Amino acid sequence: MSAASSNSLFGMGNPLLDISAVVDKDFLDKYALKPNDQILAEDKHKALFEELVKKFKVEYHAGGATQNSVKIAQWMIQEPHNVGTFFGCIGKDKFGEILKQKAEESHIDAHYYEQDEEPTGTCAACITGDNRSLVANLAAANCYKKDKHLDLEENWKLVEKAKVFYIAGFFLTVSVESILKVAKHASENNKLFCLNLSAPFICQFFKDNLMQVMPYVDVLFGNETEAAAFAKEQDFETEDIEEIAKKAQALPKVNTKRQRVVVVTQGKGDTVMASSDKVETFPVLKIDPKNIVDTNGAGDAFVGGFLSELVQEKPLDQCVKAAHYAGNVIIRRAGCTFPEKPDFN
């Protein structure tokens, strides 16, 4: 049994069903996709989803960045069940039912806001080699409403039970007022609020929302591409990842009892962490490229591993160790899926 109690980790985000397939360069070019990117679907991508299913061998996996991370944290912890709580919006349809079933199988306590105006959101994961290009059609996920779900007494009670909060930056496009309500609760009660930069487009086009939330962020995650985009938008005037981590750490913060921690992953390169007054680097676990099945979900798994130790109040270097372990497991498998039990101590 772990030191974590039920509902001690809270996540809120976009629950999506991943439709993943190994594609070719022509497919990426046809839809003007970069090999390694995350974007929101526009009208020109409508046909992409149909073509993907028709032309390639697709697999369906329960996805959505925050939900993935909460599931991985739960998997790392194993017992008790329902350490992880998840809020998000789905449709009343087959894909929504799959997400509910998968959440239950993962032993997380998912409370979805269900509406019938929009179908459950999907994400096309277009795999080429060890790259993945993600195209998210948020649909129902975009319909999350603070007053219809988060504010309800029985739901807010679950927020109050939590000690660690995690929201991927992707949710900044959906309901910044929901994020702020949770972030302020964390800050006022000296709990840990964690946010992910999630994608370059969040740092660029949702900068105002991101910077409204930033003063409440205790732990900030991102990869090297996102960190570079963030630094550029914030006029940090440096491309050095360690410098960027330090500058992000020094941004204004409401709860001064905790100094911000900034964690930047760099694929197979070292992970960089700025905490207290130092910047440290941690090498990732070695893996033979032949064993990499797909990197979709690697970043989510990294965060999930990190959170699994954070919620048990373990030291930060142990959090990074767990993060590296989880990421290493996930890239050996299709989608954000995992074996029955972790082999981590």
Side-chain angles (χ1 to χ4, degrees), residues 14 167-177 179-180 195-198 202-203 206-214:
N14 300 331
I167 297 176
F170 292 124
F171 201 59
L172 287 161
T173 75
V174 175
S175 182
V176 76
E177 55 285 354
I179 301 176
L180 284 168
L195 184 79
N196 203 317
L197 293 174
S198 291
I202 298 289
C203 305
F206 293 89
K207 182 165 61 176
D208 292 352
N209 289 5
L210 176 61
M211 296 322 283
Q212 270 187 67
V213 175
M214 194 60 72

Side-chain angles (χ1 to χ4, degrees), residues 224-240:
E224 73 278 44
T225 332
E226 295 147 13
F230 182 68
K232 197 170 169 223
E233 291 298 325
Q234 298 299 318
D235 299 321
F236 282 176
E237 294 180 348
T238 178
E239 289 176 9
D240 179 272

